[in-house]
Each structure stands twice: as C-alpha cells, then as structure tokens.
Amino acid sequence: MPVDRERVEQFLFREAQLMDEHRFDEWLALWSEPALYWVPSNRDDLDPAREVSLIYDDWVRLQLRIARLKSGFAHAQEPRSRMRRLISNIEIEDVGDWEIVTHSNFLLAELRRGKQDLFAGRTTHRLRPENGSFKLISKKVLLVNNDEPIDNLTFLI
Amino acid sequence: MLSRNGLDYESLVKEDRVHISVYTNPAIFTDEMDKIFHRGWVYVGHRGEIPNPGDFRLKRIGRQPVIMVRDQQGEVHLLLNRCRHRGATVCQREQGNTRSFRCMYHGWTYLLNGDLGGVPSMDGYGEGFKREDLGLVKVPRVGEHRGFIFASLSPAGIALDAHLGRAKEEIDLFAGMSNADEVEVVSGVHKYSYQGNWKLAAENSMDGYHPSIVHASFAQALMDKITHVPTPEQQRVDRNFAAFRGNAKDLGNGHVMLDYRMRIYDPLNGDPAPEVRAVTPEGEARLNNLDRRFGADRAANMLREGGTHTFIFPNLILIGVQMRVLQPLSVDRTEVCLYPTLLKWLAPEVNAIRLRSHEAFFGSASFGGPDDSEIFERVQDGCAVELEPWQLMSRGLHRERHEDGMIVGDLSDETTQRGIWRQWKKIMMQGEVAARSMRKRGAGAVAIKRG
C-alpha cells in the first residue's frame, strides 16, 4: 500500500499542536498499547536496562504523566509553558501494512516565567494505521541538549 | 563575633530561624566557597564513574575545576585542571578515556598521575627547569569510603573518617553493603540547574514536611491512575503517601537523614514487584545480610528503590538509588547532578528496575524533582521581601529527643535543617587565621622555581 505522505504529515502536525496547547486527553488518545515514550539522557543510543533516560514511559507511566499534569498540583507547570514548535525534515523510513516509521526534526520555543528556551531534536515515531489515521505506538526523542543541564522538561516534548 | 567581611553569623543563624541574606548575599557566598568548599571535606565523585584505567571525569571542588582520573595501576588521582605553563585547562571533555592530558596552547603533556611528560622544544628552558616540580597540582587531601571519593583543598584538618562519622553507615546501606568496585556508576547523569541558592536544595532534600504538598500531583496521580490492580499493601502505601511516618535525624557534623520505611515506586514497577536476586556468591551473602537485618521484604525494597535518605555535608545527597551532588554556581544559581547507581551483583532486571524507580521521581522530566526546583525559585524570589527577613526553622523544636548521641525528631520536623545550619554556622564562624594560612600555602604550592 503506498503511503499517503500528507496523512502522515497531518498526524505529526496535529500531535505537535496538541502538545503545544496542553491538550492532554486528546494527545493521550493518539496512543495505543504497548506504548513507549522515550527521551534518552546523556546520549542518543543507550541501553535503557543499564542507562538512565529523561523519560521512559510505558503505558502505565504515560497515564500517570497525564494524570499528574492534569491534577492541578504540578507546580513546575504552574504557570504553564507557552509553546510553539515547528516540525520539519520528515522522512518516512519504512512502510508496511501494519506500521509506519517516521523521522522528523523539531524546533520548540518554550516560554515560562519570563524565560524563553529553545529545544531542538529529532523524533522517531512508530505509527499504526487505524481508521484512516494512525495510532502512536512509540516515539523516541533525541534532544540536541540531552547531555546538558535541563531545568524543566515537564511539558510534552 | 564579626568575621573579616563584617558578617555577623551569630545573629544571622538562630536556633529556630535563619536570616534571608544567607541565601542572597554574594559576600556570604564567597565566604562559603572559601570556608566550606575550599577548606573542608567535599564529595567529588565515585570510583565507579571511572572503572577502567585511563577513565576520567571532570569535577569541581567549590569553584576549582578538577580532573578525577584512574591511572594504569588503578589509583585514582584528583588533579587541578590547569596547565602549569600558561594556565589553560588541559581537559575539555566531561568524561572519557585517555593516555595523557595535553594542553592545546603550547603542547605541554601530563601523565594520568599528573606528572609533566612532554614539553615541546625543551631547548628553550635552562638548567633550572625542573620537570618534576611542574606536574598538574594535586588536591592536597583525598579520602575514600566504599569508593566514594572526598577531597579537601586544605592540607590539614579533621580526618575524613571523623568528618563522616555516623554518615558512613548510611553510605554502607546506600551501597547495599557492596565493596567499592561493586557499585556501578555507569548509567549516565541527570543534570539540572535552578535560579536559587544551593542550600535550598540541601534543606529540601531532607524535608519530611513538604512531600504531601509539593508532590501532591504525584501522590494523587499514583492513587488514581495505576491501571494494574494494586495489592492491599500498595493501596495502603498510596493512601499513606500524604502521612508517612518516620524520624528526622541529626547525625552530627551537618550530616542529617530522614529515616522511614515506604514503598514509593513499586506500584509503578509491576505487580507483584520483581523478585530481587543476586548473581554472584558475594551478592548472595550481601543479600542474606540485608535480609537478616531488615527482613526480606524491606531488604528487597531497599535494593529496588534505595536504602537510605541522607545528606552528607556539604554537597552529597543519597536518595533512592542516586548520588546527588550540589554544585553552587553563584549565590542564586545552582547546578545539580544525579548519578543513578547499579549494583554489580544484582540481576539485570533488578538493576533496570532501579533505573525506572529513579526516573519516576527524579530528573528534569520526572514526576517529582521539577516541582522541588520550582519551589526553590519561589523561595529565592520571596527573599526579595526584606521587611521581615527571617525564615522559620522551628518545627518540632519542642519535641526533639536525644537518642544514642543523635538529635531525633518526627519525620516532618525541621531537625534536619537545624542540623545542617548548626554545622554551617560553626564553620562560617571559625577564625580567620586558618583561612589566611591556607591562602598562603595555596600560593606556595603553585610557585615555580625560576629557570
């Protein structure tokens, strides 16, 4: 089946918008089990059984992450970050009947309490076609600054 | 008694309160660097961070950049990162493996033990040039306990053993009674900074009063959203997060701890929690030892989540499976490094659980730590209010007790903060003679003979 590039782009753009606007439930609804939301720490390629990550969320932790952000007591997001991100350089690596793998770059401007930070990186999404769109099975985010001090990464990246 | 910079520490730190200038006054920060970080014992790093010959890692002792390096014989050296010729740093990478350190200004090259090796175009120097006097400057005193390396830039003073005192037992428990080489510190680092004084993180790390408020989001989400069916015990723990019980203890010399029994991360790590097993005979022995002392259930939890909750004055915090190091940058900026640890004798799946337990609550994207940092910045901001310049640290003063030579309070009491401040005040009020003589010695140590 030929991949519909525009549909893939639309999915990635929509995910970006939901993250930028803290639309937690809608973002969570993009996901399907078994989920892996992974942001490595220190370097891009690591063994999660031996090395620490910034985020290594399975399905349970993904629920917990969103529940926490919605609790009203997540002080590091009070006030919330204001964000906009650009998604670009989209490559669709592997096409099969059951799965699509995409790589894309992002540039995120994040503003909170008078301080604006830039985050940049490359994300690999694993998507499963479903009902004319996709479900997110995993995403791995390689931050340019994953070996530098990061003061607050409590928003969705 | 006024110190040389006119600061009256006696009046700034009371038994039940501290004056906000201890968090905001740059002169106090400079004095702290001198008296606490450049004279006393500070934690530098762990042997497990540099397991192989030639491994190095950049560190700081106060403001001084230091290379922690293991030589070919396995000996660890702490070398000040500054070429003896024209003063450039000789090591730039945060960590790595090397055979030597080469200054990229004029090519002076140093061996792993700090000795000066090659100097290009030696004919430019006369007979008085003594290569042996021009090695990288070594940190005057280095001490070790179970692979934890401490250093002092002062050639004289209290022995490390006496400084650590009771805190040694907590280091032992943190290490699961392992020897120095069984503690693995190869899992990377979580790093963050905050716009606030370094002592705010020290105080907060040993604050048993704040979790149910600062970390309400974690407790509530844990209760509401764990999708597997928790065991009755886990349900009880989840409910009790807001009111868990234990003691706050002042171990002496500024070392303090929170002593409690609590499963925090097991509910996130599957049900039932993975069995803890050893993969070496030595590990089997250590596991049995912990089982006997704490019971099998508690021992297993200690190995999955961490065995102590201790602050070692002035810059090391042992919480969960992590060694947390405070790096003051300025009076209102602090960097924090978290080093999660593995134990060589634990089964791989148990070590993986240690990392997952750590990630749940600690690090920049976790469910706990960033909320603490947020509070530090709010406190620093609050220090702008000078009309009523005191912070209260009186909680539990009326109910403290002395047990076994320690001051003990309820888990939520400020016994721990008072213990830190007592040591801080003692050091900051110490006479000026020692500081002056240290500076003189420091100048002598870097003097070179004229060629």
Side-chain angles (χ1 to χ4, degrees), chain B residues 203-388:
Chain B
E203 293 169 337
N204 170 265
S205 69
M206 296 296 130
D207 181 319
Y209 192 25
H210 82 287
S212 64
I213 310 297
V214 170
H215 304 301
S217 66
F218 179 71
Q220 188 174 314
L222 202 59
M223 273 189 281
D224 293 348
K225 280 292 169 188
I226 295 302
T227 53
H228 69 265
V229 181
T231 62
E233 192 209 345
Q234 282 171 351
Q235 283 178 323
R236 197 162 55 242
V237 165
D238 295 346
R239 273 199 305 277
N240 289 347
F241 189 77
F244 63 103
R245 295 276 170 258
N247 290 319
K249 291 183 176 173
D250 178 352
L251 306 176
N253 290 351
H255 316 314
V256 297
M257 72 175 295
L258 298 179
D259 192 358
Y260 57 89
R261 304 280 179 267
M262 164 99 189
R263 288 166 188 271
I264 301 176
Y265 312 112
D266 274 351
L268 283 172
N269 289 329
D271 177 42
E275 188 200 349
V276 167
R277 58 186 184 93
V279 292
T280 68
E282 297 79 15
E284 200 68 49
R286 306 200 194 297
L287 191 52
N288 287 337
N289 174 341
L290 291 169
D291 284 354
R292 272 197 305 279
R293 281 177 68 185
F294 298 99
D297 193 51
R298 165 72 184 143
N301 181 249
M302 289 167 77
L303 290 165
R304 284 192 295 262
E305 298 195 0
T308 189
H309 194 116
T310 301
F311 173 71
I312 296 174
F313 194 94
N315 66 333
L316 174 64
I317 298 162
L318 304 176
I319 295 183
V321 303
Q322 83 197 256
M323 304 184 293
R324 183 185 306 183
V325 184
L326 304 180
Q327 176 61 57
L329 299 178
S330 67
V331 72
D332 61 357
R333 187 140 198 100
T334 306
E335 188 174 304
V336 185
C337 289
L338 319 180
Y339 300 84
T341 57
L342 311 179
L343 299 180
K344 252 181 201 160
W345 52 268
L346 279 174
E349 71 273 14
V350 184
N351 275 325
I353 287 290
R354 286 169 72 91
L355 294 174
R356 298 296 90 82
S357 297
H358 172 84
E359 286 157 354
F361 206 80
F362 304 103
S364 320
S366 70
F367 304 152
D371 291 337
D372 287 315
S373 293
E374 179 69 16
I375 298 304
F376 305 158
E377 299 196 348
R378 293 184 194 185
V379 173
Q380 195 74 30
D381 287 351
C383 287
V385 175
E386 293 174 335
L387 212 54
E388 170 32 57

Side-chain angles (χ1 to χ4, degrees), chain A residues 41-42 48-61 63-65 67-68 71 73-79 112-113 147-154, chain B residues 184 186-193 213-214 216-217 220-222 225 227 268-269 333 335 340 342 352 355-356 358-360 364-367 370-371 374 378 381:
Chain A
S41 188
N42 302 291
R50 300 271 302 163
E51 290 167 85
V52 73
S53 294
L54 286 157
I55 297 175
Y56 196 80
D57 285 358
D58 60 9
W59 182 251
V60 171
R61 285 202 190 189
Q63 311 288 321
L64 189 69
R65 181 172 299 278
R68 193 187 89 82
S71 70
F73 302 113
H75 312 295
Q77 276 297 302
E78 180 54 52
R112 186 171 177 271
R113 291 187 64 172
D147 66 339
E148 291 289 328
I150 297 178
D151 298 350
N152 187 338
L153 197 69
T154 53
Chain B
E184 291 191 284
V186 294
S187 298
V189 194
H190 275 156
K191 289 182 278 191
Y192 55 86
S193 56
I213 310 297
V214 170
S217 66
Q220 188 174 314
L222 202 59
K225 280 292 169 188
T227 53
L268 283 172
N269 289 329
R333 187 140 198 100
E335 188 174 304
L342 311 179
L355 294 174
R356 298 296 90 82
H358 172 84
E359 286 157 354
S364 320
S366 70
F367 304 152
D371 291 337
E374 179 69 16
R378 293 184 194 185
D381 287 351

